[in-house]
Amino acid sequence: MNPVPHDFTPLGLFLAADPIVKAVMIGLALASIACWAVIIEKSFALGRLRREVRALASASVTPTIIAEGSDDLTAIALRAGLPEWRLGQGVQETDGEYRARLDGAMRKAVLRAVRRTEPGLQILATTGSVAPFVGLFGTVWGIMNSFTGIAASNDTSLAVVAPGIAEALFATAIGLVAAIPAVMAYNRFVGGLTGARQEALGAASDLALRLSRAPRQQVAG
């Protein structure tokens, strides 16, 4: 009697898998969806951040830059620096100390703003490091079940062994599908955010220097 043909499509392998292996596959699929959502969001966020950094680097100290409700890096930096600028240079304060006070206030505000783009990277890092091992667990569990079935049927033919092995290996494949884009995206975003953060802090320092030299009538309250 010929064995019933086994469905080796992804859906067929999933439906035929052990409940624990199915749970592993579903978890990895959900992790992959979450990673792609983060990848899409961070792509837009990083692009927006780079545009704001370029604007900050070329900003001038004028009232039009600090419109109420604006949340770009230039407005954030100036709103942080203007209170210190209005206080003016203290009697016992050197020019360098005065500039450092402005610079510190503006850099802190810019750094806080840049850090708002970082949440979500942990999902990529965790998925990239854990997903292959979760998939391997599903594979090991599936192979154990296959060997148990082989022992029970006392039949070691390829037609009996192959379906269970294929179902088990499919879990590892899903783990790799989830992990590889996550690792690549994490490395790209970390590098991009690190570069943007350094450029933003440098641009904030330059703007602080220009603000420290600005005449009182140039900057509006």
Side-chain angles (χ1 to χ4, degrees), residues 150-166:
I150 292 170
S153 64
N154 199 26
D155 186 351
T156 59
S157 65
L158 185 60
V160 174
V161 175
I165 300 297

Side-chain angles (χ1 to χ4, degrees), residues 15-152:
L15 294 176
D18 176 87
I20 292 181
V21 179
K22 281 183 181 177
V24 169
M25 292 178 180
I26 292 172
L28 291 172
L30 293 176
S32 180
I33 292 172
C35 285
W36 279 107
V38 171
I39 290 170
I40 293 171
E41 189 273 330
K42 292 303 171 192
S43 296
F44 286 106
L46 184 57
R48 182 175 62 252
L49 178 61
R50 284 171 172 162
R51 290 192 297 270
E52 292 184 8
V53 170
R54 289 194 295 269
L56 177 62
S58 60
S60 59
V61 185
T62 62
T64 56
I65 296 297
I66 51 175
E68 284 297 326
S70 178
D71 61 350
D72 63 352
L73 290 180
T74 304
I76 289 171
L78 283 176
R79 279 200 295 266
L82 281 177
E84 301 294 334
W85 179 85
R86 293 192 185 101
L87 289 175
Q89 184 173 345
V91 177
Q92 303 296 327
E93 195 173 33
T94 65
D95 292 343
E97 290 171 339
Y98 174 52
R99 287 194 297 269
R101 178 156 53 87
L102 291 175
D103 181 72
M106 297 173 77
R107 283 169 63 93
K108 286 179 183 177
V110 167
L111 184 58
R112 285 195 299 269
V114 172
R115 282 176 175 169
R116 291 203 298 262
T117 63
E118 295 179 359
L121 293 180
Q122 297 86 349
I123 295 176
L124 299 179
T126 301
T127 301
S129 59
V130 172
F133 297 102
V134 174
L136 182 60
F137 166 76
T139 295
V140 172
W141 187 273
I143 290 176
M144 287 171 57
N145 286 337
S146 296
F147 285 149
T148 302
I150 292 170

